[in-house]
Amino acid sequence: MTPAQHQFVNAMGDTMATWNLPRATGRVYGYVLLRGDASSSEQLRSELSLSAGAVSTAIRDLVSWGLARTIPQPGSRRLLVEAAGGFEQLLAASHERTRTFIRTLHAAEQLTEDTHAAKRLGDVTALFTAYVSAGEQALREYSQR
């Protein structure tokens, strides 16, 4: 990797760590975003100086967020990994998790003790609902460009 690529990979690790994902997950994502070809676990371990466990966890995290996909290798148990897209997949996954949170908030509406608590809960629900709506609109506009 060039120094600039190394800097980007580390910046992705730092950024995704602020989202409570392992730093290694962000570094792997940064690396596969820059690659033209899919990468093996061995390449990721070697290029990023990560343990096999960190690479395995990173791949699982990225696949679960829709940010990467694995490619089976015929006749082998080994998989290759490649970036599946940009932050739009991350935002879409975040919106889905937030919709689950909103459903939980709605389910609590009848549980509040007084009108003050009910208003506060309603305000929190409205804020997250607006967040998802604005994000969905931004994703629609992005996909139409």
Side-chain angles (χ1 to χ4, degrees):
M1 278 192 295
T2 68
Q5 289 171 325
H6 187 73
Q7 184 177 6
F8 171 75
V9 165
N10 285 332
M12 287 299 293
D14 293 342
T15 299
M16 292 181 91
T18 67
W19 301 340
N20 294 322
L21 288 168
R23 187 171 185 273
T25 298
R27 292 184 69 228
V28 168
Y29 185 52
Y31 182 81
V32 298
L33 273 175
L34 296 178
R35 299 271 308 159
D37 296 325
S39 301
S40 69
S41 293
E42 294 80 16
Q43 282 176 296
L44 295 168
R45 285 196 316 264
S46 174
E47 288 287 327
L48 302 174
S49 300
L50 295 172
S51 69
V55 168
S56 179
T57 298
I59 292 170
R60 276 194 312 275
D61 286 345
L62 293 172
V63 169
S64 74
W65 280 87
L67 296 173
R69 66 179 146 265
T70 56
I71 304 165
Q73 297 304 290
S76 174
R77 291 180 29 202
R78 293 186 175 171
L79 300 171
L80 298 179
V81 62
E82 67 180 359
F87 280 106
E88 61 272 10
Q89 282 84 6
L90 185 59
L91 287 175
S94 173
H95 292 162
E96 186 54 38
R97 286 182 169 95
T98 304
R99 282 191 283 278
T100 299
F101 181 61
I102 291 167
R103 287 190 294 274
T104 302
L105 293 171
H106 278 301
E109 289 172 353
Q110 302 301 317
L111 304 176
T112 56
E113 294 181 352
D114 59 23
T115 57
H116 175 71
K119 180 178 179 338
R120 183 180 56 230
L121 180 63
D123 289 346
V124 170
T125 304
L127 174 67
F128 282 98
T129 300
Y131 162 76
V132 170
S133 295
E136 292 295 327
Q137 178 63 32
L139 286 172
R140 279 192 297 278
E141 290 173 11
Y142 177 80
S143 68
Q144 293 174 357
R145 43 175 222 148

